[in-house]
Amino acid sequence: MKLILLGPPGAGKGTQAKRLEEAHNLIQLSTGDMLRAAVAAGTEVGVKAKTVMEAGELVSDEIVVAIISDRLDEDDIKAGFILDGFPRTVAQARALDGLLADKGMMLDAVVEMQVDDEPLVGRITGRYTCAGCGKGYHDTFEKPKKDGVCDKCGSTEFKRRADDNEETVRSRLAAYHAQTAPLLPYYESRGVLKSIDGMADIEDVTGQINEVLKGI
Ligand code: AP5
Ligand code: MG
Ligand code: ZN
């Protein structure tokens, strides 16, 4: 299965991609995670991406398309993947069409997670992840079962993203509406767009995505 999760910052793309990975044996391909790894490693791409990400703007199409192109060449993605945060511009969507066609692959569905802007700010400013295994949490909506201890790996260290502050979230939302929302008609016209209610709770959203997957 080859899926795209499309939605604004905080829509729940990463949360649901992790759940789909485990339930359906798919690989999450998050350009945000790949870029953050490049920033942390101080690579040439990371140096270029750092200030752009901190401002909540989009990294250049050239950089992200090159990252995804390399990743799609690896063998592990052949069984199926979930694109999380890519494509984000019509140019990226066109580039992806070309990459998939070259590899003889086709998209099964583009799942749009519809969420109003206002709750997104609270979702993002309350978000944190386990420093050990990367599992995502939220101060209010997804707390570890035991306070301060990761459910999955037992680590007691957690981290927050540099771009998870209110000001940057507003820029990321503006970038979504201006540059990423045009992908909705792009995929609608190809007959692969499936929209779900991302305002529901996490478990319910997973159920809605599973319903979409049953239908394809
Ligand atoms: P990226 O890492 O992709 O960030 P984003 O799109 O802003 O999305 P987020 O990761 O913030 O949100 P999410 O939808 O994954 O939500 P999550 O599941 O964590 O990109 C970061 C930056 O990298 C970009 O700004 C850009 O600079 C650059 N970049 C990346 N890809 C690029 C590209 N293709 N082109 C150009 N630049 C690119 O959920 C959020 C929180 O809410 C969590 O705490 C979670 O527990 C909670 N939550 C989730 N679902 C629910 C729910 N249903 N109800 C209540 N709480 C919920
Ligand atoms: Mg994410
Ligand atoms: Zn952990």
Side-chain angles (χ1 to χ4, degrees), residues 130 132-133 150 152-153 155:
C130 170
C133 71
C150 175
K152 199 170 160 191
C153 77
S155 169

Side-chain angles (χ1 to χ4, degrees), residues 1 3 20-22 24-28 79-82 213:
M1 198 137 35
L3 303 176
L20 290 168
E21 264 197 323
E22 285 169 22
H24 301 275
N25 203 22
L26 302 169
I27 304 249
Q28 176 193 17
F81 55 79
I82 313 142
L213 300 190

Side-chain angles (χ1 to χ4, degrees), residues 118-188:
E118 255 344 279
L120 297 176
V121 177
R123 283 193 191 182
I124 284 183
T125 50
R127 167 171 60 189
Y128 59 98
T129 52
C130 170
C133 71
K135 177 166 174 19
Y137 293 98
H138 189 280
D139 293 328
T140 313
F141 307 123
E142 203 183 8
K143 297 183 190 174
K145 290 189 185 80
K146 187 168 176 234
D147 213 21
V149 183
C150 175
D151 296 344
K152 199 170 160 191
C153 77
S155 169
T156 53
E157 300 222 7
F158 297 89
K159 54 184 184 182
R160 291 186 190 252
R161 272 167 51 176
D163 61 345
D164 278 354
N165 55 73
E166 182 160 352
E167 192 192 342
T168 308
V169 173
R170 303 248 174 232
S171 310
R172 283 155 59 196
L173 273 172
Y176 178 79
H177 291 300
Q179 291 165 277
T180 308
L183 293 181
L184 299 171
Y186 181 90
Y187 286 120
E188 171 102 74

